[in-house]
Amino acid sequence: MIDVKLIRENLDALRTALTNRGSDINLDAVLELEGKRRQVLHEAEQLRAEQNRANDEIARLKKNKEDASGAIAAMKEVSQKVKALEEKVRDADNALREAMLIIPNTPDASVPIGPDASANRLERQWGTPPEFSFTPKDHVELGEQLGILDFEAGAKVSGARFTVLRGLGARLERALISFMLDTHINEHGYTEILPPFMVLGASMEGAGQLPKFAEEAFTIKDRDLWLVPTAEVPLTNLHRDEILSGDALPICYAAYTPSFRSEAGSYGKDTRGMLRQHQFDKVELYKFTAPEDSAEELEKLTKNAETILQKLGLAYQVVTLSTGDMGFCAAKTYDIEVWLPGQNTYREISSCSNCTDFQARRANIRFRRDKKPEFVHTLNGSGLAVGRTLIAVIENYQQEDGSVIVPEALRPYMGGLERIAAQT
RNA sequence: GGAGAGGUGGCCGAGUGGUUGAAGGCGGCGGCCUCGAAAGCCGUUGUACGGCCUUGCCGUACCGAGGGUUCGAAUCCCUCCCUCUCCGCCA
């Protein structure tokens, strides 16, 4: 959530920011709701102050055993008025909050302005896409031939957009998870968290998933529980309604969770293989920082995610998303895109965002260094999407005979195995 | 699932209708004492919103959440949530 004061004091700047994001929010309507709330609140407070003064007087009279019936009778009417005004305040509050909850974060000044992905800015590239002396296969063909990816079984058990991993495929997924977590914990100083995979609606709202993106998430029937669409949701809410100590920052968490997404609106997109699934594993990086540190921490976090690809020897590039391509909560986002020979292109494998105080405001996460509590900044990034990393490993390390070389960094996690070959 | 107990300030813990934002203690901060520290003593110590003569003062709200009763609710009533104990069930 953005600061209401921005609407009151910096309306034009905010209007520009939202236009750049392609948002069609009617700020004048929000401004009016804000003014209305303040006016009604003031009225209610005035009357309540009067009521409080009278109540003290009644208390005094009673204490002195004097007659208070006149004062009490007079206050009956005031009491009714106060009730009516309080109702109005509640309505005004709710209306304003509803409006505020669907306003996206304002973009950082360093973000390229543009309508969509075409305006994204390439920051850097690492490694070189492999050259093959044969026509490379995609992960579907490779995985099926090796007997490690079973798409039919996935469809039979759970329907479209589910895949079953078998044997060394399952082992490879597990190896990747452990490898990523170990790297971030031992080398990058993150604390490992294993959060619940289901969260309350309040947690979804705190992380910015609700109310706007209810369609994107899976929910549990008849309960206020949602399957996490990303570990970002439980991690954000780990410190909901807390005031952290200033010297505890930055707090850095790394968490493995599955991510559940309905992928509503992406029908027909990436239907082949396991590039886009209803359920995929992800190791998530998350930070709570002081406001002045968040820009630098985003750079570090992104590099931490890149380290995984470098250790695995996978070529990638980093792009800054444009104002039109960024997510709802983000002020700035770097996407990391890994080279996929099966698609002959770079594909997103990580998204690293600085959400500034947007989530902190929604989830009420603050810290104290002087007197006043201040909102923290929150950052998140995939480090990395495990399923897509598995695809990248299989496709980039494929051999002409259809076997796959295991990257050296993963061998300790695969019992020393150097090559995945078809089981005969 | 059944039975019971409980949710109060950073923490512990009093408080069953009227100066209670809330006793007392711990912790924190400032001061005295000390060569320094500890101990001791004195003082101070929440958050949000709004207003103003804007380094402070004033108003309002907040005792799990939401409703209700009342001139007045931490205190009485209702609903919900959470925690703990015992039994049952279960990985």
Side-chain angles (χ1 to χ4, degrees), chain A residues 39-53 82 85:
Chain A
Q39 182 215 322
V40 175
L41 185 66
H42 188 71
E43 272 178 54
E45 286 188 352
Q46 292 289 313
L47 198 58
R48 195 127 53 158
E50 183 190 328
Q51 189 184 33
N52 286 343
R53 278 193 299 273
V82 167
L85 275 172

Side-chain angles (χ1 to χ4, degrees), chain A residues 352-387:
Chain A
C352 303
S353 299
N354 182 357
C355 297
T356 60
D357 60 359
F358 189 82
Q359 285 175 325
R361 217 174 271 285
R362 288 179 160 236
N364 192 28
I365 307 166
R366 293 171 294 172
F367 75 106
R368 194 198 304 272
R369 49 182 154 192
D370 300 316
K371 254 203 122 51
K372 280 265 159 204
E374 305 168 58
F375 286 111
V376 298
H377 278 196
T378 61
L379 299 93
N380 67 81
S382 356
L384 308 159
V386 180

Side-chain angles (χ1 to χ4, degrees), chain A residues 278-350:
Chain A
H278 286 314
Q279 173 191 320
F280 63 95
D281 290 319
K282 185 154 62 70
V283 169
E284 183 79 359
L285 304 177
Y286 201 95
K287 295 187 182 186
F288 300 84
T289 77
E292 67 275 14
D293 296 334
S294 68
E296 191 193 332
E297 292 293 342
L298 176 64
E299 301 302 320
K300 282 199 215 165
L301 187 148
T302 307
K303 296 231 158 63
N304 293 155
E306 287 175 55
T307 298
I308 300 295
L309 290 170
Q310 292 176 7
K311 282 177 182 266
L312 292 174
L314 296 168
Y316 67 87
Q317 62 183 23
V318 178
V319 301
T320 304
L321 298 191
S322 75
T323 51
D325 202 26
M326 274 194 307
F328 181 69
C329 298
K332 180 171 186 175
T333 298
Y334 292 121
D335 268 12
I336 304 175
E337 302 174 339
V338 70
W339 179 261
L340 291 187
Q343 303 213 340
N344 202 39
T345 186
Y346 288 98
R347 288 298 304 256
E348 178 186 342
I349 196 166
S350 170

Side-chain angles (χ1 to χ4, degrees), chain A residues 23 25 97-104 211-212 328 358 362:
Chain A
S23 164
I25 301 280
R97 184 176 167 74
E98 252 174 62
M100 292 296 292
L101 279 176
I102 58 169
I103 299 177
K212 233 189 143 187
F328 181 69
F358 189 82
R362 288 179 160 236

